[in-house]
Amino acid sequence: MFKDLGALMNLMGNRDKIQQEVAKFQQIVAQVTAEGAAGGGMVAVRVNGKLEVLACKIGEDAWKLNDREVLEDLVVAATNQALTKVREQLSAETQKMAANLGLPPGMLGGGLPGLG
């Protein structure tokens, strides 16, 4: 515990490095995208690192089902899959940032608040 506290105290004295790592992380977040699919590809959703939906594609086969509830479930499933993938990427990038700052593994909790 005290070792982790010492790493955190050392970090607090290095404001420039923190700012550089945060700026780099923000650039990465802006570039991260992931796609989720459901129903064997009938529905595909793409989201970005800001957890915004960029695209939702509904294939012809999904329309042919003529079942609103199934289509809604497919959209939800594809969206959740895409969000999970983005969260995993952001968690990995957060851990890289922590390592670059000299923080022990897991010091940032494995990801960003609200993303895990």
Side-chain angles (χ1 to χ4, degrees):
M1 178 177 145
F2 292 113
K3 184 173 118 183
D4 293 347
L5 186 57
L8 189 57
M9 293 304 289
N10 286 337
L11 180 62
M12 293 180 77
N14 199 347
R15 183 177 165 168
D16 291 338
K17 179 138 178 118
I18 294 171
Q19 289 176 334
Q20 289 173 355
E21 288 298 321
V22 168
K24 186 173 22 170
F25 182 77
Q26 288 172 337
Q27 289 176 342
I28 290 168
V29 167
Q31 296 173 357
V32 168
T33 62
E35 189 168 295
M42 284 193 258
V43 174
V45 174
R46 190 173 67 237
V47 298
N48 67 17
K50 295 178 184 179
L51 306 181
E52 300 169 330
V53 175
L54 301 175
C56 178
K57 296 183 181 181
I58 300 172
E60 287 297 320
D61 290 342
W63 290 119
K64 290 177 187 175
L65 293 175
N66 202 23
D67 188 334
R68 179 180 176 174
E69 283 185 28
V70 169
L71 183 56
E72 289 169 347
D73 289 343
L74 292 174
V75 170
V76 169
T79 302
N80 285 334
Q81 185 183 79
L83 289 171
T84 296
K85 289 178 180 181
V86 163
R87 285 185 185 112
E88 289 170 355
Q89 290 179 50
L90 294 177
S91 179
E93 292 299 332
T94 301
Q95 291 307 308
K96 286 180 192 175
M97 181 177 68
N100 289 342
L101 291 171
L103 294 174
M107 185 78 172
L108 295 180
L112 297 175
L115 297 180

